[in-house]
């Protein structure tokens, strides 16, 4: 082998190694960008006497969430999406009448977004007992969402055991039981 052949082979090996490193770097950058813009929706329960109470949704992630679907259950029966009609059906027998915000497919939820999905303004344990029963035992909500990149299929739900940690399970699902998470939130509910 002469020196020209050795130089040519070395150049080919270096070029292939550079290509491998470049492909690895592009994949790592894409993964980093996905994680940097990942939304993280949470459903929270707030119940404090004399304050606004209810179920609220917050995006604690760094990127916007795109809602891809919602589902609601009342007393174990699936009602469909969390929209105006479903929220009216869920609230129809509750007095005083709670307010609600609907979610629609394709809706963008920006980082830092905080919105009550079902709420009463001045929670009173005696006057709002039916509301408390509704949000802690009778109703379950699931929100499916993705990042701007799409295809992840993230889900947040009140049907998970982490939502509720009481000794008293709901009547329709003994495997899960919600507890009072006293986190605060803001923003107005939009659907009456």
């Amino acid at each position: 082998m002469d020196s020209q052949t050795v130089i040519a082979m070395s150049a080919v090996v270096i070029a292939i190694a550079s290509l491998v490193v470049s492909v690895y770097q592009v994949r790592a950058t894409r993964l980093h960008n996905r994680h940097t813009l990942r939304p993280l929706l949470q459903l929270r329960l707030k119940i404090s006497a004399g304050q606004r109470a209810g179920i609220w949704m917050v995006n604690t992630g760094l990127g916007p969430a795109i809602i891809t679907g919602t589902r609601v259950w009342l007393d174990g029966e699936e009602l469909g999406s969390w929209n105006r009609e479903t929220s009216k059906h869920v609230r129809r027998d509750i007095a005083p009448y709670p307010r609600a915000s609907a979610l629609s497919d394709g809706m963008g939820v920006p980082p830092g977004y905080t919105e009550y999905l079902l709420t009463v303004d001045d929670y009173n344990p005696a006057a709002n007992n039916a509301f408390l029963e509704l949000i802690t035992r009778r109703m379950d909500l699931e929100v499916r969402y993705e990042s701007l990149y799409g295809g992840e299929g993230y889900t947040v739900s009140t049907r998970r055991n982490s939502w509720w940690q009481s000794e008293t399970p709901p009547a329709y699902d003994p495997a899960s039981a919600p507890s009072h998470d006293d986190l605060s939130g803001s923003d107005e509910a939009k659907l009456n």
Side-chain angles (χ1 to χ4, degrees):
M1 259 204 256
D2 63 352
S3 63
Q4 299 243 357
T5 305
V6 171
I7 291 172
M9 289 178 65
S10 297
V12 168
V13 168
I14 290 170
I16 290 172
S18 295
L19 178 64
V20 168
V21 168
S22 294
V23 168
Y24 174 77
Q25 226 174 359
V26 166
R27 286 187 179 173
T29 300
R30 283 185 183 167
L31 183 61
H32 175 266
N33 290 344
R34 276 184 169 267
H35 288 298
T36 300
L37 291 177
R38 181 173 185 226
L40 182 58
L41 294 185
Q42 296 177 347
L43 294 174
R44 297 181 178 175
L45 180 64
K46 179 183 178 189
I47 302 171
S48 294
Q51 296 182 12
R52 194 166 185 197
I55 297 173
W56 53 293
M57 184 175 73
V58 60
N59 183 357
T60 60
L62 298 175
I66 308 300
I67 304 294
T68 58
T70 58
R71 295 192 318 177
V72 179
W73 294 265
L74 183 63
D75 298 325
E77 177 187 338
E78 186 171 348
L79 301 179
S81 297
W82 183 248
N83 54 34
R84 170 169 269 180
E85 293 76 30
T86 303
S87 72
K88 284 182 179 179
H89 176 75
V90 165
R91 301 176 288 157
R92 73 174 181 244
D93 298 329
I94 308 296
Y97 196 67
R99 293 187 301 160
S101 290
L103 299 173
S104 59
D105 292 0
M107 175 182 166
V109 180
Y113 174 92
T114 301
E115 182 71 53
Y116 275 91
L117 300 179
L118 194 59
T119 184
V120 293
D121 285 327
D122 186 17
Y123 177 71
N124 177 326
N128 299 116
N129 191 38
F131 176 73
L132 177 64
E133 184 71 19
L134 172 68
I135 65 174
T136 60
R137 292 194 176 30
R138 297 183 57 213
M139 186 183 101
D140 283 308
L141 177 65
E142 176 184 276
V143 179
R144 294 180 308 280
Y145 64 100
E146 297 178 343
S147 74
L148 290 175
Y149 288 99
E152 299 92 356
Y154 301 126
T155 302
V156 62
S157 176
T158 62
R159 297 193 100 184
R160 300 203 175 137
N161 290 337
S162 62
W163 168 259
W164 182 236
Q165 294 146 2
S166 166
E167 291 106 35
T168 310
Y172 61 90
D173 187 6
S176 68
S179 89
H180 304 284
D181 181 11
D182 196 22
L183 299 170
S184 63
S186 60
D187 290 350
E188 294 297 316
K190 294 185 175 107
L191 202 146
N192 292 322

